[in-house]
Amino acid sequence: VGLLLFFIAKMVLPALSKTFASSQEFLFLFSLAWGLGLAALFQAIGFSIEIGALLAGVTLAASPYHYEISAKMKLIRDFFIVLFFILLGAQIHFYDLSNLWQPTLVLSLFVLIGNPFILLVIMGVMGYHRKTAFRTGLTVAQISEFSLVLILLTYEMGYVNDTVVALVTLVGLVTISLSSYMISNSDRKSTRLNSSHTDISRMPSSA
């Protein structure tokens, strides 16, 4: 199936998207039908809808009109992300939250501090500027939506219980909220970091 989709993405899809690209509305409808069609096809042959939708997005990303498609799909994507988080939040059992605040705090601190630090060290070794490494590190100071999708799939398959789902959801809410604030203030933080490093480098060394 993967090889077939690779052939379609390279040979068939560019011609189809070029045909529909004469109208932005046709391009939008074609992209929507392609995503829903592949998702339904994968479900019919025994795979999950999520895998079909993922591969539909991968094939559309190979299209020469992927920027136009992405711009058209943005509103629908944001709408369904909101619905996804609403459904995810509806599955949280609030009576368990009193027992989850400690692991939530530990995991959130690891993601908020550990992930950026690891990437900061790696990019420093690769020779990137400190400001670039710092701002890039902030972008990984959260768990992604894919983590939530993965934990929901494992819950539906019976590998984890609802307590784990609630824990991962709480970590996601904490890290996504705080990392957004950190990214929005990254210029101020990186300037402060550079100035503090400059002050330390100017201090006279002891004998």
Side-chain angles (χ1 to χ4, degrees):
V1 173
L3 292 175
L4 179 61
L5 287 177
F6 177 79
F7 172 78
I8 293 175
K10 290 295 184 181
M11 302 297 178
V12 180
L13 196 59
L16 288 176
S17 58
K18 184 178 181 180
T19 302
F20 290 103
S22 58
S23 171
Q24 293 295 318
E25 289 75 16
F26 281 152
L27 184 62
F28 168 74
L29 291 175
F30 166 73
S31 304
L32 191 62
W34 178 262
L36 295 176
L38 271 189
L41 176 63
F42 268 67
Q43 186 185 30
I45 62 179
F47 293 98
S48 66
I49 296 178
E50 293 82 3
I51 294 297
L54 176 65
L55 290 179
V58 171
T59 53
L60 286 176
S63 169
Y65 302 96
H66 62 277
Y67 289 114
E68 291 83 355
I69 294 173
S70 177
K72 287 293 183 180
M73 289 291 181
K74 186 177 185 301
L75 292 177
I76 294 183
R77 181 199 65 191
D78 294 343
F79 174 72
F80 280 106
I81 285 177
V82 171
L83 288 183
F84 171 74
F85 278 106
I86 290 175
L87 294 175
L88 190 64
Q91 299 183 23
I92 298 179
H93 299 284
F94 289 97
Y95 58 83
D96 289 335
L97 296 186
S98 59
N99 300 323
L100 294 179
W101 71 269
Q102 288 183 338
T104 299
L105 180 62
V106 172
L107 292 175
S108 298
L109 288 177
F110 175 78
V111 175
L112 290 168
I113 300 175
N115 283 2
F117 178 75
I118 293 172
L119 192 58
L120 183 66
V121 171
I122 293 175
M123 295 190 68
V125 172
M126 295 175 65
Y128 285 93
H129 190 269
R130 187 177 296 103
K131 182 177 181 180
T132 303
F134 177 76
R135 297 184 65 177
T136 305
L138 292 182
T139 62
V140 297
Q142 58 179 270
I143 65 173
S144 64
E145 294 87 352
F146 185 75
S147 304
L148 303 177
V149 173
L150 182 62
I151 202 65
L152 283 179
L153 288 176
T154 55
Y155 174 74
E156 292 176 357
M157 298 174 68
Y159 294 123
V160 298
N161 54 26
D162 52 0
T163 303
V164 178
V165 176
L167 175 61
V168 175
T169 304
L170 287 175
V171 173
L173 293 175
V174 171
T175 56
I176 290 173
S177 301
L178 293 181
S179 65
S180 300
Y181 172 77
M182 293 163 61
I183 292 173
S184 63
N185 294 274
S186 60
D187 289 334
R188 188 186 311 170
K189 291 182 177 63
S190 60
T191 302
R192 189 179 305 172
L193 179 66
N194 288 331
S195 61
S196 62
H197 180 267
T198 302
D199 294 339
I200 293 176
S201 62
R202 288 177 179 177
M203 293 177 61
S205 59
S206 58

